[in-house]
């Protein structure tokens, strides 16, 4: 079918049906593929701009309103969507929306395709609705602009990079929506820097008060919530990290038990050995000999 684009200047009306003449609309047999992306700025001096695709598109589309407002028509009914709204169009769905001319509007969008897209969207709870409220999500425009640059310059491995950015975008959207429906999620995210510190500096002894301060909680509240989040107390979580590191060193190095004890944060090798047996069922020497 030949492409057909109609621009009606006096009404700002834009109709697209059939294939996109710029070849940005396609169905890929790759797992994930970004067809096109970008942003539009509609100034208040411009006339109202309306997009109508009666047959939809062959690919998927996400639209994010960063600023301003727009009318979206679903089943013939108009819905006003404002700042922070996101719309998902699936292949073949009628696309009909109109941007306001009364206020500046900034919109970011991305067209994508691939045999794994439906699975990816379903896994991230982005399938059952067409409208989502993200609020102020700076990652959306930031990643769209990164995608734009990759598609423009086409540097080495740009297709791989676009897929990586796209997956990051879907992950961030999914986390954003999850935080809205799981009140404790925002609170739990306070543990991320604590856990990163534990993993990066597991050999350093810190007090619970230090970890609690990093998360912005009282020590008592921190201990209770940390256990809810990880399943372990902070003390037990750190010991398990150290024992796992000790296991790796026993298997991959020629360090003595005493050297490994110091490496994972214990000045007393005998105490380290007792802990190791408690958590693994074997002494460090027995573990190394068996493996």
């Amino acid at each position: 079918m030949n492409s057909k684009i109609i621009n009606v200047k006096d009404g700002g009306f834009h109709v697209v049906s059939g294939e996109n003449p710029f070849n940005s609309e396609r169905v890929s047999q790759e797992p994930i593929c970004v067809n096109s992306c970008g942003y539009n700025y509609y100034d208040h001096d411009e006339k109202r701009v309306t997009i109508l695709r009666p047959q939809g598109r062959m690919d998927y589309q996400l639209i994010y309103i960063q600023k301003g407002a727009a009318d979206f028509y679903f089943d013939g009914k108009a819905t006003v969507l404002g700042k922070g709204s996101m719309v998902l169009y699936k292949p073949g769905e009628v696309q009909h929306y109109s941007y306001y001319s009364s206020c500046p509007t900034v919109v970011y969008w991305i067209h994508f395709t691939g045999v794994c897209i439906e699975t990816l969207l379903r896994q991230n709870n982005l399938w059952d609705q067409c409208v989502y409220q993200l609020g102020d999500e700076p990652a959306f425009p930031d990643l769209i602009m990164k995608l734009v640059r990759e598609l423009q310059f086409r540097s080495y491995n740009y297709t791989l990079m676009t897929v990586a950015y796209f997956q990051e975008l879907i992950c961030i959207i999914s986390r954003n929506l999850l935080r809205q429906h799981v009140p404790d999620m925002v609170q739990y995210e306070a543990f991320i820097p604590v856990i990163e510190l534990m993993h990066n500096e597991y050999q350093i002894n810190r007090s619970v008060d230090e970890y609690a301060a990093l998360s912005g909680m009282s020590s008592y509240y921190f201990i209770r919530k940390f256990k809810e989040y990880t399943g372990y107390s902070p003390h037990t979580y750190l010991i398990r990290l150290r024992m796992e590191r000790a296991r790796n060193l026993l298997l991959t190095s020629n360090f003595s038990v005493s050297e490994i004890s110091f490496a994972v944060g214990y000045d007393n090798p005998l105490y380290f050995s007792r802990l190791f047996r408690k958590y693994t069922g074997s002494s460090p020497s027995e573990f190394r000999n068996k493996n």
Side-chain angles (χ1 to χ4, degrees), residues 150-151 153-165:
E150 289 297 327
L151 293 173
F153 296 112
R154 300 194 173 196
S155 302
Y156 175 70
N157 260 347
Y158 80 94
T159 54
L160 184 61
M161 188 64 78
T162 57
V163 170
Y165 283 143

Side-chain angles (χ1 to χ4, degrees), residues 75-88:
D75 297 325
K77 298 179 180 179
T79 300
V80 179
L81 297 179
K83 176 182 177 180
S85 300
M86 184 185 77
V87 177
L88 168 65

Side-chain angles (χ1 to χ4, degrees), residues 4-190:
K4 184 180 181 183
I5 299 181
I6 301 174
N7 289 289
V8 183
K9 293 183 180 179
D10 56 354
F13 198 70
H14 188 196
V15 178
V16 179
S17 60
E19 295 182 5
N20 190 301
F22 304 108
N23 198 32
S24 67
E25 180 181 356
R26 63 191 178 98
V27 177
S28 174
Q29 295 306 306
E30 299 171 9
I32 298 171
C33 180
V34 176
N35 283 346
S36 60
C37 59
Y39 73 98
N40 297 103
Y41 174 74
Y42 301 97
D43 190 82
H44 65 279
D45 293 330
E46 296 180 9
K47 295 181 179 179
R48 190 178 182 90
V49 176
T50 298
I51 310 298
L52 175 62
R53 298 185 178 103
Q55 307 302 320
R57 286 176 55 108
M58 294 187 294
D59 55 9
Y60 294 80
Q61 179 178 205
L62 279 176
I63 299 173
Y64 174 67
I65 303 174
Q66 186 192 38
K67 182 179 181 181
D71 283 329
F72 280 78
Y73 298 85
F74 304 105
D75 297 325
K77 298 179 180 179
T79 300
V80 179
L81 297 179
K83 176 182 177 180
S85 300
M86 184 185 77
V87 177
L88 168 65
Y89 284 115
K90 299 168 188 172
E93 291 183 342
V94 177
Q95 298 186 11
H96 186 187
Y97 45 96
S98 179
Y99 296 115
Y100 278 24
S101 57
S102 59
C103 61
T105 299
V106 180
V107 180
Y108 288 82
W109 50 270
I110 179 170
H111 294 286
F112 51 98
T113 180
V115 296
C116 292
I117 291 297
E118 179 174 345
T119 299
L120 179 67
L121 295 178
R122 285 186 181 276
Q123 288 175 340
N124 288 278
N125 300 310
L126 289 169
W127 188 260
D128 296 330
Q129 299 172 227
C130 55
V131 178
Y132 300 86
Q133 296 301 327
L134 298 185
D136 186 13
E137 182 49 82
F140 201 113
D142 178 59
L143 286 168
I144 290 295
M145 295 313 297
K146 287 181 178 179
L147 283 162
V148 166
R149 287 193 289 271
E150 289 297 327
L151 293 173
Q152 281 181 332
F153 296 112
R154 300 194 173 196
S155 302
Y156 175 70
N157 260 347
Y158 80 94
T159 54
L160 184 61
M161 188 64 78
T162 57
V163 170
Y165 283 143
F166 175 75
Q167 289 179 303
E168 182 180 356
L169 177 64
I170 295 299
C171 180
I172 288 172
I173 292 171
S174 179
R175 285 182 175 180
N176 180 305
L177 297 174
L178 182 62
R179 283 196 296 267
Q180 298 175 29
H181 295 93
V182 182
D184 284 340
M185 186 56 65
V186 175
Q187 187 178 66
Y188 287 152
E189 287 184 348

